[in-house]
């Protein structure tokens, strides 16, 4: 038997979570290093999986399949296509930066009356989320995916509610109440989506007699499986609702600004750059593959919802006074672009959507983590409390600017390629949708540049006059992310070569071809 690389990649952070939690309470530094070492080892394994993946080979590679619950046909079945392996690598890449950025976020508060926060628990929960997210990108059994989809909510709930942002304008009691509210709202929204998905999962088993993606695909191909139109549409809606909550898509998005605002900046990155990608990934892997006809039936409505997310999220970002909530609403707008690209049903749109998932993860991590360093220094999330930072901390201001420019998809930075492909795909299939979506670009420039102007330029406020610039640990977090944004911005080919074959398989699932350009014959 070959080495179970996919299992090992997911199991290593889970083992690391247990090891980190087991470190004695007084040895906080040892717990941090334990978590960091396991996250780096996971990154190495993910790199090996990426290197062994053959873009022109079988659709699902590095596969593993073992009986799990025989009476119900549930299997422990893993495999990655180009989309899954890219997102698995993204997750493994970001977690070491999340750990380094949150190095002191769970240290005891010496000057506060609030309860002591266990450092070991903070980093163990981060590793547990990593394990579940990676395994969800690998799962090709629908029931196994559902278990992971729901289970990752538990550690995220405790990370949001138990380890919130310390830069809170109110009292300790008020801050705790806000964290609790954000954590409960996050949990309830996602649990509601998960319960509806569970009904759809059971319905799929009744119709197909299996949870295996490969077996369902084979049954469709030989004609032994056919779904009634109404049945397929109801099942599609059950899956899509859960993924739209996770993504998040308007109007199911309202939990995200609360969760990102009250969580620490590294946990906010974990939410929007890692966990939320499971929702958009699942739309590609499960909605389009399992329910191709229903996906085409629902496309017009989903495209409209995606456009509302793009414009609505950007407009609310423009009006925000809180730095972290601004980034949260910007992410809602970006997820609208991703979903628009998926349901444009063109190869350019879906390639762009997949690239957007990866590039948004990197750019949002860079911007949010630098914002977190800024907020930690000043002790406030309010934009109005800053001014003139670039004169006292030029490196911090410069990295903040690059992260912001990536967020507005400046040419030469990685998100530009993604957004361009999404718009090309949207214009070729739905020209009116493409026109509306471009307003998101204009609004993105507005909220990013105004944010930078109000926080970094102008007279130096007295409260920021002694602000320290980025330190070695913080530069270790930010510089590699900026390097990736530049590299993938000018040379995205390594990523597109992995993603494009998987996109072609998805296009084949829904039996869609790219629209042909209309060219008038020469007279």
């Amino acid at each position: 038997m070959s080495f179970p690389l996919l299992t090992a990649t997911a199991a290593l952070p889970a083992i690391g979570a247990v090891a980190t939690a087991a470190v004695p309470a007084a040895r906080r530094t040892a717990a941090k290093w334990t978590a960091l070492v396991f996250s780096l080892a996971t990154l190495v394994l993910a790199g090996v999986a990426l290197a062994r993946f053959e873009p022109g080979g079988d659709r699902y590679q590095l596969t593993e399949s073992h009986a799990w619950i025989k009476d119900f046909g549930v299997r422990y079945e893993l495999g990655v296509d180009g989309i899954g392996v890219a997102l698995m690598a993204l997750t493994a890449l970001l977690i070491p930066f999340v750990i380094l950025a949150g190095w002191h976020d769970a240290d005891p508060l010496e000057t506060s009356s609030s309860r002591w926060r266990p450092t070991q628990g903070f980093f163990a929960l981060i590793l547990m989320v990593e394990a579940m997210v990676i395994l969800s990108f690998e799962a090709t059994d629908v029931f196994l995916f559902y278990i992971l989809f729901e289970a990752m909510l538990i550690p995220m709930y405790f990370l949001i509610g138990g380890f919130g942002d310390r830069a809170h304008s109110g009292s300790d009691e008020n801050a705790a109440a806000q964290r609790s509210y954000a954590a409960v709202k996050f949990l309830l929204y996602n649990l509601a989506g998960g319960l509806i998905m569970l009904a759809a999962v059971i319905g799929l088993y009744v119709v197909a007699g299996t949870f295996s993606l490969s077996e369902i695909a084979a049954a469709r191909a030989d004609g032994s499986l056919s779904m009634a139109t109404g049945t397929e549409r109801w099942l599609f809606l059950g899956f899509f609702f859960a993924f739209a909550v996770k993504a998040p898509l308007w109007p199911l998005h309202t939990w995200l600004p609360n969760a990102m605002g009250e969580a620490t900046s590294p946990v906010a990155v974990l939410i929007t750059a890692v966990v939320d990608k499971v929702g958009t990934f699942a739309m590609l892997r499960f909605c389009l593959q399992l329910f191709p006809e229903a996906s085409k039936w629902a496309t017009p409505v989903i495209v409209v919802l995606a456009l509302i997310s793009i414009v609505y999220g950007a407009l609310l970002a423009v009006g925000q006074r809180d730095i972290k909530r601004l980034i949260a609403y910007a992410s809602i707008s970006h997820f609208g672009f991703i979903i628009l690209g998926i349901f444009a049903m063109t190869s350019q749109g879906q390639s762009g959507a997949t690239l957007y998932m990866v590039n948004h993860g990197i750019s949002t991590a860079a911007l949010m983590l630098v914002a977190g360093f800024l907020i930690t220094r000043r002790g406030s999330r309010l934009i109005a409390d800053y001014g003139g930072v670039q004169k006292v901390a030029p490196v911090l201001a410069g990295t903040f600017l690059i992260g912001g420019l990536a967020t507005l998809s400046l040419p030469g930075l990685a998100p530009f390629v993604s957004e361009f492909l999404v718009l090309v795909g949207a214009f070729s299939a739905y020209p009116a949708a493409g026109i509306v979506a471009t307003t998101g670009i204009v609004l993105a420039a507005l909220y990013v540049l105004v944010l930078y102007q109000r926080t970094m330029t102008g007279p130096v406020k007295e409260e920021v006059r002694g602000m320290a610039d980025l330190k070695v640990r913080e530069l270790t977090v930010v510089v590699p992310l900026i390097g990736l944004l530049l590299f993938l911005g000018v040379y995205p080919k390594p990523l597109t070569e992995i993603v494009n074959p998987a996109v072609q398989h998805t296009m084949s699932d829904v039996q869609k071809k790219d629209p042909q350009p209309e060219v008038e014959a020469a007279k």
Side-chain angles (χ1 to χ4, degrees), residues 190-214:
N190 284 274
L191 278 179
L195 288 174
I196 293 174
M197 180 182 169
L198 176 60
V201 168
I202 295 170
L204 177 66
Y205 180 75
V206 171
V207 173
T210 180
F211 293 111
S212 170
L213 281 179
S214 58

Side-chain angles (χ1 to χ4, degrees), residues 322-483:
D322 183 308
I323 296 174
K324 292 171 69 177
R325 290 179 70 90
L326 184 151
I327 298 172
Y329 280 109
S331 290
I332 292 169
S333 182
H334 295 148
F335 275 104
F337 276 106
I338 294 171
I339 295 170
L340 176 64
I342 292 172
F343 284 90
M345 300 288 186
T346 61
S347 59
Q348 300 97 331
Q350 292 190 357
S351 293
T354 304
L355 292 178
Y356 216 131
M357 288 187 240
V358 176
N359 294 332
H360 171 263
I362 299 170
S363 62
T364 299
L367 181 60
M368 179 60 85
L369 293 179
V370 176
F373 299 148
L374 177 70
I375 291 167
T376 299
R377 284 162 166 73
R378 174 66 178 85
S380 172
R381 307 197 309 246
L382 298 179
I383 297 172
D385 289 340
Y386 296 88
V389 174
Q390 67 180 11
K391 296 178 182 177
V392 296
V395 176
L396 190 155
T399 53
F400 188 83
L401 178 61
I402 295 173
L405 293 176
T407 297
L408 63 81
S409 298
L410 184 76
L413 296 174
F416 170 76
V417 181
S418 320
E419 201 162 275
F420 178 77
L421 286 173
V422 167
L423 290 173
V424 168
F427 269 110
S428 62
Y430 304 99
I435 293 170
V436 174
T438 55
T439 61
I441 301 175
V442 178
L443 292 171
L446 181 61
Y447 62 69
V448 168
L449 296 179
V450 168
L451 171 65
Y452 184 82
Q453 179 189 36
R454 292 178 177 175
T455 56
M456 302 296 165
T457 66
V460 180
K461 288 200 171 184
E462 189 63 33
E463 294 83 359
V464 303
R465 190 170 298 279
M467 182 177 289
D469 214 335
L470 293 183
K471 300 176 182 178
V472 174
R473 173 181 61 85
E474 296 164 333
L475 287 170
T476 304
V477 171
V478 177
V479 171
L481 294 175
I482 292 176

